[in-house]
């Protein structure tokens, strides 16, 4: 009997996440993905739901998404091995008021969705307000984009126009431009709401010295945006040389404090 992972949607989700590792953008635990399931998608996956959902309290803003279901990657998952471990590293949740239910995955509800879940939900709400077809939100660490953020002016108008100027295709692929946040501590906190605010206008949001969020109607669109940005960031880095700015010592100490790390300075 065919399993849930044989469904075309699930196969595409797994191979798309693995592609991030193949591209060099999904090292270690980096990268996460969420997909808002349509009614037709739910009809396909529902036969594979656990008999008893696992209810998890959730104290963050559910962004008007109560009743919606998402396919979303796991916290601590690895895109390198996701093909062999998809039932551990992916799951399906339904959002409630003050909680969510795990319906499938994460090793039968033992694991949990990405720690960026609040950011993902807020980004989905933003994109649904701008383009209801944009069901996908992806985050990863494109190498050349991160290098470009150490050199380029991080003003988003300048950043967008610099990329547009490097290849005739860029303005065709992202005519809506690119949102750029200042560096800030990642994870739960202000970075989620601020990313979602940018996503009201942009399908791409850059986190300097860290990575990118992208959204689209399909895996092809969301990944194509990242590929186009990273390809042209590669060109930019090839002709512009050395870093001019990066994470400073004070910001590193903020990170260590936020995650309770014993890094020696
Ligand atoms: Zn990241």
């Amino acid at each position: 009997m065919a399993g849930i992972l044989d469904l075309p949607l699930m196969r595409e989700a797994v191979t798309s996440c693995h592609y991030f590792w193949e591209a060099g953008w999904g090292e270690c635990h980096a990268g996460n993905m969420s997909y808002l399931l349509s009614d037709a998608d739910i009809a396909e996956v529902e036969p594979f739901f656990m008999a008893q959902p696992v209810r998890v309290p959730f104290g963050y803003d559910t962004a008007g998404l109560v009743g919606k279901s998402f396919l979303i990657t796991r916290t601590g998952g690895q895109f390198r091995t996701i093909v062999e471990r998809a039932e551990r590293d992916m799951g399906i949740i339904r959002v409630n008021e003050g909680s969510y239910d795990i319906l499938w995955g994460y090793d039968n509800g033992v694991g949990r969705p990405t720690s960026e879940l609040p950011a993902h939900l807020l980004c989905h709400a933003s994109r649904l307000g701008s383009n209801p077809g944009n069901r996908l939100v992806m985050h990863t660490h494109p190498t050349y984009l991160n290098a470009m953020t150490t050199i380029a002016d991080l003003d988003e108008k300048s950043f967008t126009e610099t990329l547009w100027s490097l290849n005739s295709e860029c303005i065709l692929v992202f005519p809506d431009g690119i949102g750029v946040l200042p560096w800030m501590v990642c994870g739960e906190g202000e970075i989620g709401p601020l990313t979602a605010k940018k996503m009201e206008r942009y399908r791409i949001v850059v986190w300097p010295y860290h990575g990118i969020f992208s959204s689209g109607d399909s895996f092809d669109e969301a990944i194509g945006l990242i590929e186009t940005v990273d390809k042209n960031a590669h060109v930019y880095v090839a002709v512009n040389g050395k870093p001019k700015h990066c994470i400073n010592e004070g910001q590193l100490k903020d990170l260590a404090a936020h995650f309770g790390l014993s890094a020696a300075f």
Side-chain angles (χ1 to χ4, degrees):
M1 178 190 160
I4 188 171
L5 296 171
D6 296 312
L7 295 170
L9 166 65
M10 301 298 284
R11 281 212 304 267
E12 189 172 20
V14 170
T15 55
S16 296
C17 291
H18 190 251
Y19 172 72
F20 279 2
W21 177 76
E22 292 176 308
W25 306 337
E27 75 284 357
C28 194
H29 301 301
N32 36 71
M33 176 281 301
S34 61
Y35 176 85
L36 171 58
L37 294 162
S38 68
D39 290 345
D41 296 326
I42 291 170
E44 286 196 324
V45 296
E46 201 164 21
F48 303 96
F49 287 174
M50 294 184 289
Q52 280 297 325
V54 176
R55 180 152 292 186
V56 182
F58 186 64
Y60 295 92
D61 185 359
T62 50
L65 298 170
V66 169
K68 306 273 191 201
S69 297
F70 295 86
L71 173 65
I72 182 164
T73 49
R74 173 179 172 267
T75 184
Q78 294 206 341
F79 284 0
R80 180 173 63 83
T81 54
I82 196 166
V83 176
E84 297 85 36
R85 301 183 191 173
E87 295 198 18
R88 186 193 74 159
D89 286 349
M90 300 185 89
I92 294 173
I93 67 166
R94 182 174 53 227
V95 177
N96 310 312
E97 199 67 66
S99 69
Y100 59 83
D101 289 336
I102 299 173
L103 306 172
W104 172 85
Y106 311 133
D107 267 344
N108 292 312
V110 174
R112 294 291 179 264
T114 170
S115 61
E116 308 282 7
L117 176 61
H120 276 262
L121 293 182
L122 294 171
C123 286
H124 277 287
S126 293
R127 290 313 303 164
L128 285 175
S130 306
N131 183 342
N134 286 177
R135 294 179 164 274
L136 194 61
V137 173
M138 305 188 86
H139 166 66
T140 195
H141 299 173
T143 309
Y144 292 106
L145 170 64
N146 285 344
M148 181 176 171
T149 65
T150 70
I151 306 170
D153 181 347
L154 296 177
D155 169 77
E156 64 193 13
K157 183 173 187 296
S158 163
F159 202 87
T160 295
E161 291 175 1
T162 297
L163 284 169
W164 280 351
S165 71
L166 290 170
N167 188 307
S168 313
E169 292 283 337
C170 283
I171 197 168
L172 305 182
V173 175
F174 49 92
D176 42 341
I178 295 178
V180 181
L181 287 180
W183 184 91
M184 60 186 74
V185 172
C186 54
E188 293 152 356
E190 65 174 347
I191 199 166
L194 291 174
T195 304
K197 187 78 191 150
K198 294 285 185 195
M199 279 232 164
E200 290 175 2
R201 176 171 174 189
Y202 303 110
R203 289 171 296 156
I204 307 166
V205 179
V206 170
W207 292 358
Y209 328 134
H210 183 144
I212 193 167
F213 266 75
S214 78
S215 181
D217 290 5
S218 63
F219 288 97
D220 285 346
E221 180 182 348
I223 292 174
L225 286 168
I226 301 172
E227 288 178 321
T228 307
V229 168
D230 199 54
K231 164 66 183 279
N232 292 289
H234 190 172
V235 174
Y236 179 87
V237 170
V239 295
N240 282 282
K242 293 182 179 174
K244 294 182 180 153
H245 43 79
C246 50
I247 307 172
N248 64 38
E249 187 173 324
Q251 291 169 332
L252 286 172
K253 286 179 176 169
D254 287 345
L255 268 177
H258 183 79
F259 289 102
L261 309 175
S262 57
F265 288 94

